[in-house]
Amino acid sequence: MNKTEALQQMIDRHEKIVFFGGAGVSTESGIPDFRSVDGLYHQKYDVPPETILSHSYFLHYPEEFFRFYRDKMLILNAEPNSAHRKLAELERAGKLTAVVTQNIDGLHQAAGSRKVYELHGSIHRNHCMKCGAFYDAEYIRDTEGIPRCSRCGGMIKPDVVLYEEALDQEVMELSVQAIEEADLMIVGGTSLAVYPAAGLLRYFHGDALAVLNRSATPVDSNADLLIEEPIGQVLARIKVR
């Protein structure tokens, strides 16, 4: 039996599947990841991306933050790939109970997934820091310099969790609940290097763990199935039944 067949059997015999994913899920949609050789953190900038994407840098150098953000983070022309579409199909079939994602691109929802817990927020939600008014991603894209609220003039902040910021407590609690109740956990497209998000896997006590990632992760030794291929290619071969 090859590894795709083994994954197919796992999916066939489980009814409460949770998918935990990261940037590698969206690379096949043309969105660069962060930590691979060609990833965002290995590109050259005057200031490291980790610094630019911090809460303190955002507050002190908002114009520089938004220049980087529009250039590298605000990707609005990407389309869902085979991985996003298959996960949405599994949810519609009643097999997948939740997607827990570190991604901020909204592609799971674009593919049709409904139960998506976005640990690091979303580029599609933006709020005025003064009055709380909502703005979509296109508004941020179409402004120059520091985006300002059309109502009160306050600075608008993307609903993206920056370094030095805490994750949303409700999203964390719902993610933990879904993971605790899962009988199969599929981890894909993530190095599991970012905490506290990666720490959520300790709440999984279900029947089987599958890891679909092109590089090693800290949970590989605990996995019942390990597939080191692009996740979209793997899930495209899975039949939903």
Side-chain angles (χ1 to χ4, degrees):
M1 186 192 318
N2 65 37
K3 290 189 173 184
T4 301
E5 291 169 344
L7 179 62
Q8 181 74 64
Q9 286 193 5
M10 275 186 175
I11 290 171
D12 288 345
R13 69 172 185 263
H14 292 95
E15 299 295 331
K16 288 187 176 180
I17 304 169
V18 167
F19 177 81
F20 183 99
V25 178
S26 293
T27 52
E28 289 167 84
S29 293
I31 297 178
D33 67 1
F34 289 83
R35 288 177 171 75
S36 70
V37 174
D38 301 317
L40 194 59
Y41 288 170
H42 289 274
Q43 298 175 27
K44 299 299 181 186
Y45 297 96
D46 292 338
V47 179
E50 298 98 318
T51 301
I52 298 173
L53 296 173
S54 67
H55 180 77
S56 54
Y57 192 92
F58 168 77
L59 292 180
H60 288 104
Y61 308 101
E63 195 154 354
E64 291 301 315
F65 171 89
F66 278 107
R67 182 178 293 122
F68 178 89
Y69 181 79
R70 288 189 186 94
D71 185 36
K72 295 298 181 183
M73 311 293 287
L74 199 60
I75 301 171
L76 301 180
N77 59 354
E79 296 289 336
N81 62 48
S82 299
H84 299 108
R85 293 193 294 270
K86 188 66 66 174
L87 292 167
E89 191 181 349
L90 285 166
E91 183 186 41
R92 288 194 297 273
K95 301 280 289 180
L96 185 88
T97 57
V99 168
V100 180
T101 181
Q102 297 168 285
N103 293 346
I104 59 175
D105 51 46
L107 290 181
H108 285 294
Q109 292 92 328
S113 289
R114 300 173 67 86
K115 190 74 71 73
V116 182
Y117 299 130
E118 296 172 306
L119 296 171
H120 295 155
S122 172
I123 61 171
H124 297 285
R125 298 187 300 269
N126 306 270
H127 293 90
C128 172
M129 297 177 71
K130 190 184 264 186
C131 74
F134 173 86
Y135 292 90
D136 60 19
E138 287 75 17
Y139 183 89
I140 304 298
R141 179 195 63 195
D142 296 339
T143 56
E144 293 184 2
I146 301 169
R148 295 284 179 183
C149 178
S150 59
R151 298 182 192 176
C152 74
M155 184 165 69
I156 298 169
K157 181 183 183 297
D159 183 18
V160 170
V161 179
L162 302 176
Y163 289 103
E164 306 165 351
E165 293 180 344
L167 273 59
D168 182 274
Q169 191 60 34
E170 183 182 7
V171 173
M172 285 284 282
E173 289 172 0
L174 290 169
S175 300
V176 167
Q177 182 180 351
I179 291 168
E180 284 181 331
E181 295 174 355
D183 55 14
L184 168 61
M185 185 94 168
I186 301 175
V187 175
T190 174
S191 60
L192 295 177
V194 178
Y195 284 81
L200 292 177
L201 264 67
R202 72 178 185 271
Y203 294 101
F204 176 66
H205 305 292
D207 180 56
L209 172 66
V211 177
L212 284 58
N213 200 53
R214 297 179 72 175
S215 57
T217 81
V219 300
D220 286 359
S221 59
N222 298 327
D224 299 283
L225 178 64
L226 188 60
I227 303 179
E228 295 175 320
E229 294 179 57
I231 187 169
Q233 294 179 27
V234 175
L235 290 184
R237 301 194 291 264
I238 295 298
K239 294 180 174 59
V240 179
R241 49 203 182 202

